[in-house]
């Protein structure tokens, strides 16, 4: 199909006749629902590992039909979204490569970007001009097709990390698709993206998983959990996140995450020494600055 | 005044003619409001460090009048609540000691209990029979008189750590007062209380403060905070908590908190080694158990 963005700079008439979504869970399913709701999607074809999930996606109206990783499904697609755990993406790209048509734009929903960029260069070198990596900042501790929402991306940020070899039309199509989902689109370099998200997302997830795991090992864990209250509830909400997805994110962003983890461990060492020394002033200084910055952030005065 | 609990085991007629609250912030102000709402409070007298806060508490109707740490205020009180940061309690007890009457029951709202028990034995040895330490599990990142709520304690847990020397009447009066606020009352030994809360409350607060503080040191912190999303928001909600209060809690519960912090650091060391080794299975096992336990807890199936 020809490019459908008839009025550049506007979304009137933005429409993709055929969209293919690999992975019809929270991210992929919500993308499909949002584009359908915006009137921007013709047919949505779903591809996935599990027949049960695909059936559920059909039943929920996330996708119109089930496809396969072949030329019939991919050859004439306007847009392909890879919405699987990032650990699967390299193999998927390899499987897709022979079947992609010359006009298909490709994006992904992975939480890490350097690894996706590396996989594109290795597995899809002939399609790198039209692969525009994306990270929708719309995590939720729920996952799966049943968690998909048409408005998941409304008001959320999506970070694009375009490749130098991307053609402007592909960037525009991917940008327009995420914008049609209701998101605000930002652009960053992949390595900078991974550094920032290691700090503000991947590390907090690791810390939250670690705390719950630590408590879960106690012999009398019921007594601990019985008195856990709202602070614990919020701190550990992300420890209910998808284990496979977060395993893949940690491995994919290993370098930046290790750096963040080591810096955080040094911060904990400092706090431990202050506590051992009974240095109340040092503790209060850390808490006070944290509170000031956390409040400024919540009030939109920092970022 | 004579003991007012006319029908043991019932709250019909439970009424305290005079209540004195040291510290009219979130904890003390909400206690006063709740007892007034329940019709269980006659006069509520407030004592505090800041005249401005006391004026605000008067204006908001949390207290009926302002008192002083003297015999006129304390001598005939039915119940005294210490609702200051725990670091101030020992000095307060010393100041109160000469003025307390023989019929006054005393409780507190501190988040740590071994230190409060030690201070009672040191500072109020003649009143230990009527000091019933309490910890209302109703933290909030807001503090101060303006944050007080009549229903703050409804459905919340309050842990009492009675002393062996407590007389049953004092335990009953304190228990009834917290119950009249809408709370469910539990009992634990002070050291066990501090162990459990070091793990499920004090450590998460320390970790959350540490993360925000760590990010706040970055040169380009705006870019980090700009992309912080809902997971970060929830993880760091408790980093907006009261710095002085949390400084005092950490110092007061130093022993148990250090033990928890060291155990957590060992858990992080393990995760770091798994990450360095690219051991995806080890990471997934930790995440998977954390998710299972966190979900069971949220569904009330653990505790």
């Amino acid at each position: 199909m020809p490019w459908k963005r008839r009025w550049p700079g506007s979304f009137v008439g933005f429409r993709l006749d055929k969209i293919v979504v690999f992975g019809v869970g929270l991210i992929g399913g919500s993308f499909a629902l949002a584009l359908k709701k915006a009137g921007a999607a013709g047919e949505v074809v779903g591809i996935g590992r599990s027949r049960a999930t695909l059936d559920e996606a059909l039943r929920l109206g996330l996708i119109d039909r089930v496809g396969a990783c072949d030329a019939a499904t991919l050859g004439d697609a306007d847009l392909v979204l890879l919405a699987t755990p990032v650990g699967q993406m390299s193999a998927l790209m390899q499987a897709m490569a022979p079947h992609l048509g010359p006009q298909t734009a490709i994006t992904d929903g992975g939480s890490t970007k350097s690894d996706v960029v590396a996989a594109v260069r290795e597995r899809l070198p002939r399609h790198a001009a039209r692969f525009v990596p994306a990270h929708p900042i719309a995590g939720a501790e729920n996952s799966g097709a049943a968690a998909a929402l048409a408005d998941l991306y409304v008001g959320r940020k999506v970070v694009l990390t375009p490749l130098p070899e991307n053609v402007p039309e592909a960037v525009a199509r991917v940008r327009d698709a995420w914008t049609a989902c209701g998101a605000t689109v930002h652009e960053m370099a992949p390595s900078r993206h991974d550094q920032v998200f290691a700090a503000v997302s991947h590390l907090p997830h690791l810390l939250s998983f670690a705390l719950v795991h630590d408590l879960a090992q106690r012999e009398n864990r019921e007594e601990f959990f019985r008195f856990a209250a709202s602070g614990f509830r919020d701190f550990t909400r992300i420890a209910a996140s998808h284990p496979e997805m977060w395993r893949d994110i940690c491995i994919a962003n290993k370098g930046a995450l290790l750096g963040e983890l080591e810096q955080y461990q040094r911060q904990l060492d400092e706090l431990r020494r202050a506590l051992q020394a009974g240095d109340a002033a040092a503790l209060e200084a850390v808490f006070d600055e944290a509170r000031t910055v956390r409040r400024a952030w919540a009030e939109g005065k920092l970022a």
Side-chain angles (χ1 to χ4, degrees), chain A residues 94 166 248 279:
Chain A
Q94 190 173 24
N166 280 167
D248 282 2
D279 187 345

Side-chain angles (χ1 to χ4, degrees), chain A residues 7 26 30 36 43 47 66-67 74 90 112 126 128 144 148 159 161 168 175 189-190 210 214 265 275:
Chain A
W7 296 275
L26 176 72
S30 296
K36 280 169 176 269
E43 185 181 37
I47 301 179
V66 172
L74 296 169
S90 177
T112 52
R126 288 186 305 116
V159 179
T161 62
R175 174 180 277 273
D214 182 12
Q265 289 186 297
L275 196 55

Side-chain angles (χ1 to χ4, degrees), chain A residues 99-267:
Chain A
H99 311 301
L100 284 168
Q103 293 299 332
T104 304
I106 316 157
T107 188
D108 73 295
S111 298
T112 52
K113 297 271 68 77
S114 300
D115 63 313
V116 171
V117 169
V120 170
R121 295 228 165 93
E122 186 186 352
R123 304 297 192 184
L124 291 176
R126 288 186 305 116
H127 301 271
R130 283 181 301 282
F131 195 116
V132 186
H135 174 199
I137 319 303
E141 76 274 27
N142 294 315
S143 52
L149 298 167
D151 63 355
L152 181 70
Y153 302 115
V154 174
R156 303 298 188 92
K157 295 182 177 74
V158 171
V159 179
L160 302 186
T161 62
L163 309 182
E165 53 267 55
N166 280 167
V167 294
E169 293 85 355
V171 177
R173 192 184 295 184
V174 168
R175 174 180 277 273
D176 288 353
W178 287 110
T179 305
C181 291
T184 309
V185 174
H186 298 252
E187 290 192 12
M188 293 172 89
S191 61
R192 184 68 190 151
H193 168 280
D194 287 356
Q195 187 65 48
V196 166
F197 284 88
V200 301
S201 172
H202 310 166
L203 178 65
H205 277 79
L206 196 72
L207 299 178
S208 183
F209 280 127
L211 184 78
V212 177
H213 184 263
D214 182 12
L215 287 176
Q217 308 313 307
R218 312 293 170 101
E219 234 178 76
N220 46 359
R221 65 186 193 185
E222 286 75 13
E223 190 176 21
F224 286 88
F225 283 102
R226 183 178 309 131
F227 291 102
S230 61
F232 178 87
R233 181 196 64 215
D234 291 351
F235 186 91
T236 62
R237 186 181 63 79
I238 50 180
S241 301
H242 195 285
E244 181 188 4
M245 176 182 153
W246 283 95
R247 174 200 71 188
D248 282 2
I249 289 171
C250 291
I251 296 290
N253 201 21
K254 176 178 155 177
L257 181 55
L258 272 174
E260 288 297 328
L261 178 56
E262 283 160 9
Q263 175 156 338
Y264 186 77
Q265 289 186 297
R266 287 192 295 273
Q267 168 87 69

